[in-house]
Amino acid sequence: MRKSRKFLALAMASVMALSMTACGGSSSESTTAAAAADTTAAAESEAKTEGGSESSAPAADATVYKLGTTVNEQDSFQVAAEKFAELVQERTNGAYVIEIYPNGTLGGERDMLESMQMGTLDMGIITSGPFINFSEAMGVLDMPYLFANNEQAYAVLDGEIGRELLDTLEDSGLKGLAYAERGFRNLTNSAKPIEKAEDLAGLKIRIMENDVYTASFEALGVNATPMAWADALTALQQGTVQGQENPINVIYSYKLWESQKYATLDRHSYSTAIITMSADLFNGLDADTQQIFLDAAQEAAEYERAWVAEQEADQLQAMKDNGMEVIENPDMDSFKAAVQPVYDKYTEYADYVARIQEVTSSMQ
């Protein structure tokens, strides 16, 4: 619909301009021609960004950064990206402009992280899963059932531990600015309702490309199948995998009820969405501008979290209205018991896990 409106606006402006050229150049016609030119320019401005969007047209001397995501424009990542772009442009007085490229236009999540390492991509909003490939310490955030609720997650991520983990990315040429939210991840599948861990045995489930996730789902008896999200959508539609795991907002945004009959709200992992930048690019900024980017990212992250919370109840209802059978209170003890071997396996996270539990236990 937006494309149709853009095309119509351009077409109308062109017709106006051609009509006035044919009629000659009286004073009033010149005024009308100027108005037509303004209409054309406005329409072209609206239509110009097929792959990317920005908060407003950049000044001629502005520095433009590209920010990629793998999600669509209805997703919470887009909300975070737009708020971040708005704040940066406003607080730098237009000196820096961020163009947003959704829908995997700039590659998959791991691809984008590698591009940021090489300096061929400026920024991205990336789910937590791929970061273990760039900093082993980041894997602790993927440990199953680490947080009981959002408040515990925020206390850890916005505090000393969260910043310490982001700083470990710098050795890989990445700068983590702030933790936005993907949310608590839940299971969906096309085969049967899942009420306890034993029900998962043998199901082929798409998971993120992440060793901790693989270990967690193998402990649950799943045929864990790591793959990029773009490939997962096709696999779900074709039935080559039976299920997947994602937060409610993703299930809703991608209408997964079209291929998935059952959802289980097991909240097995709290998934972040890290606003990430090329470290070389960040380090090339002066200290004041660096702080603007850090502050804008944190504010955008908190803004997006609030948006996710506001949307979730309606999104869950939409899942049900579209025919999904939702198990809201599965046997959590069975899931937690099944994944205990993951904690025994990843002893390198023991110190971080202990520090995280110290924070979260004080909130119970």
Side-chain angles (χ1 to χ4, degrees), residues 339-355:
V339 299
Q340 184 54 46
V342 181
Y343 282 85
D344 298 335
K345 176 179 180 180
Y346 287 95
T347 55
E348 62 266 38
Y349 299 139
D351 289 343
Y352 271 122
V353 168
R355 290 172 61 192

Side-chain angles (χ1 to χ4, degrees), residues 92-150:
T92 63
N93 296 315
Y96 291 88
V97 171
I98 295 171
E99 293 181 345
I100 304 163
Y101 290 79
N103 296 303
T105 306
L106 303 181
E109 292 195 320
R110 184 164 180 169
D111 297 329
M112 286 194 288
L113 288 170
E114 290 173 350
S115 295
M116 282 183 257
Q117 278 186 305
M118 295 184 291
T120 56
L121 175 61
D122 304 317
M123 311 185 72
I125 300 182
I126 312 293
T127 49
S128 56
F131 282 95
I132 193 174
N133 300 295
F134 301 86
S135 165
E136 184 177 321
M138 292 295 292
V140 69
L141 296 179
D142 297 315
M143 295 295 280
Y145 307 104
L146 188 63
F147 302 114
N149 53 51
N150 294 68

Side-chain angles (χ1 to χ4, degrees), residues 298-337:
Q298 183 64 30
E299 289 184 38
E302 293 177 13
Y303 179 87
E304 182 252 9
R305 292 173 187 171
W307 184 90
V308 170
E310 289 174 2
Q311 302 294 314
E312 189 165 281
D314 288 343
Q315 292 171 343
L316 180 59
Q317 187 59 50
M319 289 162 54
K320 297 175 182 177
D321 291 344
N322 282 280
M324 290 192 93
E325 181 179 325
V326 181
I327 291 87
E328 298 190 50
N329 296 294
D331 178 2
M332 295 300 297
D333 288 341
S334 71
F335 287 97
K336 291 177 182 179

Side-chain angles (χ1 to χ4, degrees), residues 1-12:
M1 183 64 74
R2 286 181 60 194
K3 290 183 178 178
S4 298
R5 288 200 298 268
K6 294 172 187 175
F7 179 80
L8 180 59
L10 285 166
M12 289 176 64

Side-chain angles (χ1 to χ4, degrees), residues 47-275:
K48 70 177 181 178
T49 51
E50 282 297 310
S53 62
E54 56 196 60
S55 54
S56 64
D61 59 347
T63 299
V64 179
Y65 290 156
K66 292 182 178 181
L67 182 153
T69 76
T70 60
V71 299
N72 61 31
E73 294 89 337
Q74 288 71 51
D75 194 272
S76 64
F77 284 21
Q78 183 77 13
V79 172
E82 289 179 358
K83 175 57 71 172
F84 178 55
E86 172 193 324
L87 293 172
V88 167
Q89 187 165 347
E90 174 187 300
R91 293 176 183 178
T92 63
N93 296 315
Y96 291 88
V97 171
I98 295 171
E99 293 181 345
I100 304 163
Y101 290 79
N103 296 303
T105 306
L106 303 181
E109 292 195 320
R110 184 164 180 169
D111 297 329
M112 286 194 288
L113 288 170
E114 290 173 350
S115 295
M116 282 183 257
Q117 278 186 305
M118 295 184 291
T120 56
L121 175 61
D122 304 317
M123 311 185 72
I125 300 182
I126 312 293
T127 49
S128 56
F131 282 95
I132 193 174
N133 300 295
F134 301 86
S135 165
E136 184 177 321
M138 292 295 292
V140 69
L141 296 179
D142 297 315
M143 295 295 280
Y145 307 104
L146 188 63
F147 302 114
N149 53 51
N150 294 68
E151 289 70 30
Q152 289 184 1
Y154 302 156
V156 170
L157 297 173
D158 294 341
E160 178 183 340
I161 297 172
R163 175 46 56 186
E164 186 178 315
L165 288 169
L166 289 181
D167 288 346
T168 66
L169 294 169
E170 294 188 30
D171 289 340
S172 294
L174 301 169
K175 180 65 179 180
L177 300 181
Y179 297 94
E181 181 169 271
R182 175 43 88 209
F184 277 100
R185 304 179 75 89
N186 301 291
L187 289 157
T188 71
N189 80 95
S190 60
K192 60 181 180 178
I194 305 298
E195 297 184 354
K196 57 186 182 299
E198 292 83 353
D199 296 334
L200 281 167
L203 288 182
K204 189 172 186 180
I205 304 290
R206 176 268 173 182
I207 62 171
M208 290 195 292
E209 298 169 288
N210 175 306
D211 288 344
V212 175
Y213 269 79
T214 300
S216 297
F217 280 91
E218 287 179 347
L220 289 165
V222 164
N223 179 359
T225 308
M227 67 174 69
W229 181 237
D231 297 329
L233 289 170
T234 301
L236 289 168
Q237 291 164 358
Q238 295 178 346
T240 53
V241 296
Q242 294 167 293
Q244 61 86 55
E245 46 83 41
N246 254 309
I248 287 171
N249 57 71
V250 175
I251 298 168
Y252 171 81
S253 294
Y254 286 89
K255 299 181 180 179
L256 293 187
W257 51 76
E258 294 177 352
S259 63
Q260 306 282 276
K261 172 66 176 174
Y262 306 99
T264 300
L265 305 189
D266 70 310
R267 297 165 67 86
H268 52 267
S269 176
Y270 176 82
S271 184
T272 63
I274 301 176
I275 303 175

